[in-house]
Amino acid sequence: MYCKHCGKEIAGDSKFCNHCGKSQGNEEITNIIEPAKRFYTSNKKLVSYTLFFYSMCYSCIYMVFKSP
């Protein structure tokens, strides 16, 4: 078997090339990683907005109930 990227000969059951290190066709891994990245990014924004909202609520409550 030959590497799909560099053309060097590799073992028939290799998942990666020993010469260039490129994957030999594990597209299913990419199909799993991409949605996970989107999920992480959207959750990161949600957490940021939630923390901002709660900090604003806390500030407003503090201003209303603080001693004069």
Side-chain angles (χ1 to χ4, degrees):
M1 177 171 144
Y2 295 93
C3 175
K4 295 177 184 179
H5 303 280
C6 71
K8 303 248 178 162
E9 189 172 0
I10 57 175
D13 60 346
S14 294
K15 294 182 180 179
F16 296 93
C17 175
N18 293 336
H19 304 283
C20 69
K22 301 269 184 163
S23 173
Q24 297 302 305
N26 289 335
E27 290 82 20
E28 61 200 38
I29 292 174
T30 303
N31 293 338
I32 293 170
I33 292 173
E34 290 304 320
K37 284 182 182 177
R38 284 186 299 223
F39 179 75
Y40 174 74
T41 303
S42 65
N43 276 348
K44 197 166 134 182
K45 288 179 183 177
L46 178 65
V47 168
S48 297
Y49 291 138
T50 303
L51 287 174
F52 176 75
F53 175 74
Y54 281 117
S55 65
M56 293 305 291
C57 289
Y58 176 78
S59 297
C60 290
I61 291 170
Y62 176 77
M63 296 298 280
V64 169
F65 291 109
K66 74 176 187 174
S67 299

